[in-house]
Amino acid sequence: MGRTLFEKIWDSHLVTSSETGPSLLYVDLHLIHEVTSPQAFDGLRIGGRRVRRPDRTLATADHNVPTDPLDVPVADPISKKQLDVLEENCAEAGITLFPRGHANQGIVHVIGPELGVSQPGMIIVCGDSHTSTHGALGALAFGIGTSEVEHVLATQTIPQTKPRTLAVNVVGTTPLGVTAKDIALGVIRRLGTGGGSGYVVEYRGHAISALSMEGRLTLCNMSIEAGARAGLIGVDDVTINYLRTTPGVPQGDEFATAEKSWREFASDPDAVFDDEITIEAASLAPLMTWGTNPSQVVEVTGVVPAPVDEADTRSLEYMDLAPGTPLSQVAVDVVFIGSCTNSRIEDLRAAAAVAAGNTVASSVRALVVPGSHRVKKQAEAEGLDQVFLAAGFEWREPGCSMCLGMNPDQLTPGQRSASTSNRNFEGRQGRGGRTHLVSPAVAAATAIVGCFAIPHEVAR
Amino acid sequence: MKPVALVEGRGVPLGRSDIDTDQIIPSEWLKRVERTGFGRGLFSEWRDDPSFILNQQDFVGAAVLVANARFGTGSSREHAVWALMDYGFEAVVASSFGDIFRNNASKQGLVIVELAEADVAELRDLIEKNPRMVITIDLTRRTIEVAEVAWQREFAMSDTIRERLLNGWDDIGLTLLHEDDISTFETSYDRQHPSAAAQFSAEATS
């Protein structure tokens, strides 16, 4: 019997193996950032332990960094301290760090793929639940807690009980205007926030093969919103062509050797998954969330649904929405284009294409936060910054920004946002804020119209 | 980690489903570099409401949080576990949990009890009727019990997690018992898969 992509990666990283309890897996790449690492380094010091493989660890400052111009200092002393502590810890351990302002700095899940350090067949961990993003490259990548960060720093391994596998088949062709974000929201609507719990998801089917690497990163990124710690896509030409453009992969003749081994990391045709679901791509449309968990999804051109349970009622109340209201009549205060879900060059191109020649509604503050300095530089080379600025969007420095509001980019109580990020939890973007998750194109259209809108509705 | 075999204490019924880790500990609290003091941030947005259950006198000093479906979904922040424990909770009962939260809890000694949804609802009802009653969670027997009303349920917990909690084992110490296995694997793995990240060390400035 053939093996799934997940099984191939699992088998090739077993340091010790157990059928009943946890197996010990070797970690290729450990990504760290300022928020979930300081207590792990403290733990190492208390235990008299060292970082085993600083060369397999890579750090960036992302969650706390302001997105103001780089000459503006970090105003919040607590954020500043956390960023400083990351620098101290990395210097002490000999870990490469891309601090604020560095040419390679950016959101951890944007820089791993774009630098080419996230590669097929790897096990990648990070103290961040959106580590599932890197699975788009055919790697097994998942988020861990701070105790596990300490464990990986000390041992370069992680104990794991074998998860089950779930194939999510998205078959057929997606309608025009349906993006990877809409596929992700469609999958979460189907699975619910707990449906992927205990599973590693592999996305398969024509609609997945047809996605660009940026789209695949978006889709795998949101696996955790369906409860799955990891989401994977098998290696194909799209993967290889993307990797070829990154600086971190073997160059010249060595690339061909690497390519040969990477291409092994796809599920065998006769591989069997523990479970399987199928979604017809044709059934998807531009989607958005209406509530306070990411499975509460509706079409952008639809209406606020009637509640089906107490949780829905509570969500409607928090979101200050009445059932039956067309979303095209719901006004937003803020539009945020950014986050590890949707801040890559293709996302910015999609938003800029809608923004070009238009003007942000006077009632709306619209922010564009590129995922990294590399993305920012590329966008500026293409003139996207000028498109956004001319339309009235803010063009900011890279970071996690308003996705979780740890830096000054936050909603104020009662404000409503259209956001390309990944979580619409209560208060996620700032205390009392109301978040609706959308794709970059819908976000841009919404900024211009002032209420939720699909790009078709934006006049040229 | 401190060994834990028995949790005995009063409960708090918090019947909302989908309590994500952003609710348990909002992100403004994550800027701290310490591991202690997060109890003040527990459910901090909800605690502003004087009628919120943790603000009610009946529930001060409770040890068992009885929630609902999908507790602890979302962010990987272990701060959620630290906040619950720092506040005084020793166990959380719910019908399902986020995977990363459950894992983080097992590293810190916060006891996770997963029961059928109807059983969790029953337990919440019992507490609401009598907030003073004592809930006993016995890890050795894998049971949760309210002796005064003769209510008892068994729950599943993997042997691995149970052993770790009962003994207060440190994961890193356990793993390093396999140091020879790690070194052997690593030596051969490094030859075939040198670190891709290492090449960026020269480019970094700090």
Side-chain angles (χ1 to χ4, degrees), chain A residues 305-347:
Chain A
V308 297
D309 56 23
E310 179 265 329
D312 282 359
T313 306
R314 193 183 148 74
S315 293
L316 285 173
E317 189 186 326
Y318 181 85
M319 296 300 286
D320 191 29
L321 290 172
T325 311
L327 289 149
S328 60
Q329 291 173 16
V330 174
V332 306
D333 305 296
V334 175
V335 168
F336 171 61
I337 298 173
S339 88
C340 58
T341 311
N342 280 128
S343 64
R344 298 179 183 84
I345 189 65
E346 192 178 274
D347 301 316

Side-chain angles (χ1 to χ4, degrees), chain A residues 242-303:
Chain A
Y242 176 88
L243 285 162
R244 207 188 298 277
T245 65
T246 64
V249 298
Q251 304 293 317
D253 291 347
E254 287 177 34
F255 185 86
T257 312
E259 176 183 343
K260 193 156 172 281
S261 66
W262 288 337
R263 284 200 185 264
E264 297 292 316
F265 289 102
S267 290
D268 295 328
D270 56 344
V272 177
F273 294 82
D274 292 316
D275 279 295
E276 201 153 349
I277 64 162
T278 296
I279 292 173
E280 298 284 342
S283 72
L284 297 169
L287 298 173
M288 61 179 284
T289 60
W290 59 267
T292 56
N293 82 56
S295 71
Q296 292 169 319
V297 168
V298 68
E299 292 185 9
V300 177
T301 54
V303 300

Side-chain angles (χ1 to χ4, degrees), chain B:
Chain B
M1 184 169 85
K2 244 173 47 188
V4 47
L6 203 66
V7 174
E8 271 183 304
R10 286 178 289 114
V12 178
L14 186 58
R16 297 175 190 179
S17 60
D18 293 282
I19 296 178
D20 55 75
T21 53
D22 272 76
Q23 308 313 315
I24 299 171
I25 185 85
S27 65
E28 60 182 312
W29 286 87
L30 309 193
K31 296 174 186 174
R32 303 175 72 250
V33 296
E34 300 83 13
R35 203 185 271 256
T36 54
F38 286 96
R40 283 182 298 128
L42 179 70
F43 298 123
S44 63
E45 297 201 8
W46 294 345
R47 271 159 80 188
D48 286 351
D49 172 4
S51 70
F52 181 60
I53 197 150
L54 289 189
N55 293 330
Q56 297 172 24
Q57 199 53 41
D58 276 350
F59 299 107
V60 172
V64 181
L65 182 66
V66 185
N68 200 330
R70 297 175 295 279
F71 186 87
T73 51
S75 156
S76 66
R77 58 189 72 170
E78 196 162 309
H79 312 65
V81 173
W82 303 337
L84 285 160
M85 295 184 77
D86 191 50
Y87 183 85
F89 287 115
E90 298 168 42
V92 183
V93 182
S95 58
S96 57
F97 291 89
D99 283 351
I100 305 179
F101 174 83
R102 179 201 299 268
N103 208 32
N104 289 340
S106 77
K107 311 285 178 188
Q108 293 296 314
L110 180 69
V111 176
I112 295 299
V113 177
E114 187 170 314
L115 297 176
E117 200 155 338
D119 291 332
V120 181
E122 244 177 67
L123 184 58
R124 284 199 308 270
D125 287 346
L126 288 173
I127 303 168
E128 275 161 17
K129 282 186 198 127
N130 177 14
R132 312 302 302 172
M133 69 182 203
V134 172
I135 301 168
T136 306
I137 299 166
D138 184 335
L139 270 64
T140 313
R141 295 162 55 216
R142 286 183 256 230
T143 56
I144 177 167
E145 186 175 9
V146 184
E148 65 178 83
V149 293
W151 185 93
Q152 188 188 308
R153 296 289 180 273
E154 290 181 2
F155 61 90
M157 178 180 274
S158 79
D159 291 340
T160 312
I161 289 177
R162 193 178 68 137
E163 287 295 292
R164 190 198 295 145
L165 293 174
L166 287 173
N167 294 292
W169 278 333
D170 156 31
D171 254 9
I172 299 177
L174 288 182
T175 293
L176 289 176
L177 297 176
H178 299 285
E179 170 60 43
D180 289 352
D181 294 325
I182 299 172
S183 292
T184 305
F185 183 96
E186 191 166 54
T187 306
S188 104
Y189 196 81
D190 272 342
R191 269 198 297 274
Q192 303 210 348
H193 306 276
S195 167
Q199 62 198 298
F200 288 97
S201 63
E203 284 187 35
T205 53
S206 57

Side-chain angles (χ1 to χ4, degrees), chain A residues 8-282:
Chain A
K8 292 180 186 182
I9 301 175
W10 180 272
D11 293 348
S12 62
H13 288 79
L14 284 171
V15 175
T16 67
S17 179
S18 165
E19 283 304 312
T20 52
S23 298
L24 197 60
L25 300 171
Y26 196 73
V27 173
D28 291 86
L29 175 65
H30 184 194
L31 299 165
I32 62 173
H33 59 85
E34 74 274 22
V35 175
T36 55
S37 68
Q39 295 88 351
F41 281 104
D42 271 350
L44 287 184
R45 279 188 281 268
I46 292 165
R49 291 169 176 142
R50 301 177 54 226
V51 176
R52 183 183 182 97
R53 294 299 299 266
D55 62 321
R56 287 193 179 273
T57 313
L58 193 62
T60 185
D62 57 3
H63 282 62
N64 268 303
V65 292
T67 57
D68 299 316
L70 295 170
D71 53 0
V72 177
V74 181
D76 179 350
I78 314 177
S79 289
K80 173 80 167 66
K81 181 173 181 194
Q82 200 168 52
L83 292 164
D84 289 347
V85 166
L86 180 67
E87 292 201 14
E88 290 159 19
N89 285 332
C90 288
E92 187 184 323
I95 293 168
T96 300
L97 163 70
F98 303 132
R100 182 184 181 214
H102 190 280
N104 289 335
Q105 181 266 343
I107 306 174
V108 64
H109 309 310
V110 174
I111 68 165
E114 76 181 3
L115 292 175
V117 297
S118 304
Q119 296 174 2
M122 283 184 168
I123 288 186
I124 301 170
V125 297
C126 173
D128 189 283
S129 61
H130 291 110
T131 307
S132 57
T133 310
H134 309 257
L137 289 148
L140 177 61
F142 52 91
I144 57 179
T146 296
S147 292
E148 291 175 309
V149 170
E150 183 183 338
H151 187 285
V152 178
L153 287 173
T155 69
Q156 203 57 31
T157 64
I158 187 152
Q160 288 287 298
T161 303
K162 199 170 187 176
R164 290 176 296 163
T165 53
L166 172 65
V168 172
N169 304 302
V170 186
V171 299
T173 305
T174 45
L176 202 66
V178 171
T179 68
K181 183 63 163 282
D182 304 306
I183 298 177
L185 291 172
V187 169
I188 300 161
R189 172 172 63 179
R190 169 76 175 273
L191 283 174
T193 55
S197 185
Y199 289 106
V200 163
V201 169
E202 183 178 325
Y203 299 97
R204 301 160 62 80
H206 179 72
I208 305 302
S209 306
L211 286 175
S212 67
M213 185 48 64
E214 281 88 348
R216 295 175 183 193
L217 291 161
T218 298
L219 178 60
C220 288
N221 172 273
M222 290 191 74
S223 305
I224 185 67
E225 310 319 330
R229 281 179 80 178
L232 298 164
I233 295 174
V235 173
D236 62 7
D237 290 347
V238 172
T239 326
I240 298 299
N241 290 337
Y242 176 88
L243 285 162
R244 207 188 298 277
T245 65
T246 64
V249 298
Q251 304 293 317
D253 291 347
E254 287 177 34
F255 185 86
T257 312
E259 176 183 343
K260 193 156 172 281
S261 66
W262 288 337
R263 284 200 185 264
E264 297 292 316
F265 289 102
S267 290
D268 295 328
D270 56 344
V272 177
F273 294 82
D274 292 316
D275 279 295
E276 201 153 349
I277 64 162
T278 296
I279 292 173
E280 298 284 342

